[in-house]
Amino acid sequence: MVFLPRTSFMFSSVVIVFLVGGLLSIVGQHKPGPAVSLLQEIHSLQLNSTVCVDPEAVDRASTDFGLITRAVPAAVFRPSSDRDIAALVGFSYASARPFGIAPRGRGHSVRGQALARDGVVVDMGALRGDGQGRIRVCGEGCRPSYVDAGGEQLWIDVLRETMKHGLAPRSWTDYLYLTVGGTLSNAGISGQTFLYGPQISNVYELDVITGKGETVTCSEQHEADLFFAVLGGLAQFGIITRARIAIEPAPTMVRWVRLIYKDFAAFTGDQERLISLEKKKGFNYVEGSVIMANSLADNWRSSFYVEEDITRISRLAAQYGAVYCLEGGKYYDHATAPSIDQELKSVVDALRYLPGFEFRNDVSYMHFLNRVREGEAKLQSRGLWNVPHPWLNMLIPRSRILEFDRGVFKSILKHNNSVGPILICAMNRNKWDQRTSAVVPDEDVFYAIGLLRSGVDGWRNLEEQNEEILRFCDGAGISYRQYLPHYTSLAEWRKHFGAKWDVFVERKMRYDPRALLSPGQRIFTSSFGQHQSM
């Protein structure tokens, strides 16, 4: 055992552990606690990775982007390879004292989904800079074209690499500073989903480390049950270490349009019409949002407009209580630029927005896909990014969306004063592969509702509003599903998965029988404790 010099001590309780070629160094150790005990057990693994239990690292891994829940792990594992992750999982699986393991990408979950109380949080970002080419594009000569990306890679980096070849993945999330493994464990949705389906519908192959510590390459043709289990599986069946993702030729520019509505039925009717059109006859991107009287004042999305337009829209929202924005994107390049005006006119002329409330911008394709990053910088500069995020994401069947508008947008949220957008996006169910673990409403068209509100001081009031919204839906018999789900009881999880629940449980028993993986989801948590509110 090698001890660092006393000059490296920060606090008497600091424990820093390096597992490098089996060399274990513990600094500031006084007496064996849960963390030290755990580290002593895994010392025998002889890994070329780092396990850290210093207070700063553990504190960062104890909460997430939501800043609402907290669960302190015993240690943070910084792997140097996929093999080391598999060894860690395999060790816990074989141990008489198994511990929970949570893969963590950017920690962008909001309800503690990437936490592991008294367990080990795997910092997937440690693999990002290993210089081993963990993003590899196979374009020319590959049929179909694809990009292989490590599960820890950020989508923005995948985009930058594929764009060097004039290619890009087909389906996106609105925010690109998320990991490949993170979004594929949920679904990955945005305004392109109506056309190509979620990101989980655009994957050819995965490398997965199961809850037994086994590394499996799976696809629709090979180990298909594991492949579909992991996609949208909330990291309950395996840790994604590589994904083979569908790509296609990338456009260079986007004609970006926003249209304002005062009538919700016209707004949703136009969304539904647009998502029914063929790609060449409509938009490539369709998304909507709800604008309250003060929504644009502190909203990162307001950078689209000039100040005069913000004033006009805000006055309209104050007059009607809320207005609705339909957002569309039409992609083009040098060859199709001469026809973009006429193509856009044929789409927009058929829509029922308020005359005089059409707004357009032309931006690069890269800028359009990465538009939220600019908003993030704006909020960070004002201290409005690293604050509690009591977000609520729901999937609502088309048949009940008008009722949802009356009961939620026009009632519960009538005096919404929070920062953050309220998104409403129509989707086609036939673009979702029902073999995956993800669940959606049982109607041909449904809406993704994103209440992406943030609060510095009043976030508990927003939480109470979220509970009121859920109670309204339950009372009205609206068969919603949560996206990025958060439930606190087994009965709620059963209801969420519905007809897929039995299959979900069977897969858990098959691929993670000791319930080691992602205990922060709180689906199978009897062995690993619960979160606490911050």
Side-chain angles (χ1 to χ4, degrees), residues 51-108:
V51 179
C52 193
V53 294
D54 72 89
E56 184 178 351
V58 170
D59 185 65
R60 284 196 302 269
S62 298
T63 189
D64 55 20
F65 179 69
L67 292 177
I68 294 171
T69 59
R70 183 174 178 82
V72 181
V76 177
F77 185 71
R78 293 172 178 157
S80 63
S81 68
D82 299 347
R83 293 186 299 276
D84 283 1
I85 301 175
L88 178 75
V89 178
F91 177 80
S92 181
Y93 175 69
S95 174
R97 295 188 297 170
F99 48 88
I101 298 173
R104 180 187 177 105
R106 290 297 307 283
H108 204 76

Side-chain angles (χ1 to χ4, degrees), residues 194-195 255 273-286 328-331 340 343-344 346-348 351:
F194 81 93
L195 194 59
R255 176 66 56 83
R273 179 181 182 276
L274 287 169
I275 70 168
S276 71
L277 299 175
E278 297 177 14
K279 181 169 65 171
K280 293 182 178 180
K281 295 182 179 180
F283 287 127
N284 303 92
Y285 169 96
V286 176
K330 186 76 174 174
Y331 302 163
I340 187 65
E343 289 180 11
L344 185 67
S346 67
V347 177
V348 172
L351 303 178

Side-chain angles (χ1 to χ4, degrees), residues 21 255 396 413 477 481 510:
R255 176 66 56 83
I396 305 294
L413 301 183
R481 295 287 189 272
R510 185 176 306 130

Side-chain angles (χ1 to χ4, degrees), residues 273-322:
R273 179 181 182 276
L274 287 169
I275 70 168
S276 71
L277 299 175
E278 297 177 14
K279 181 169 65 171
K280 293 182 178 180
K281 295 182 179 180
F283 287 127
N284 303 92
Y285 169 96
V286 176
E287 194 167 86
S289 60
V290 182
I291 301 176
M292 306 291 185
N294 65 340
S295 290
L296 295 180
D298 291 315
N299 193 326
W300 60 264
R301 293 167 62 87
S302 62
S303 59
F304 179 92
Y305 307 100
V306 299
E307 193 63 35
E308 180 183 349
D309 295 335
I310 292 175
T311 301
R312 291 176 61 216
I313 297 169
S314 296
R315 286 174 179 169
L316 194 71
Q319 179 182 351
Y320 291 101

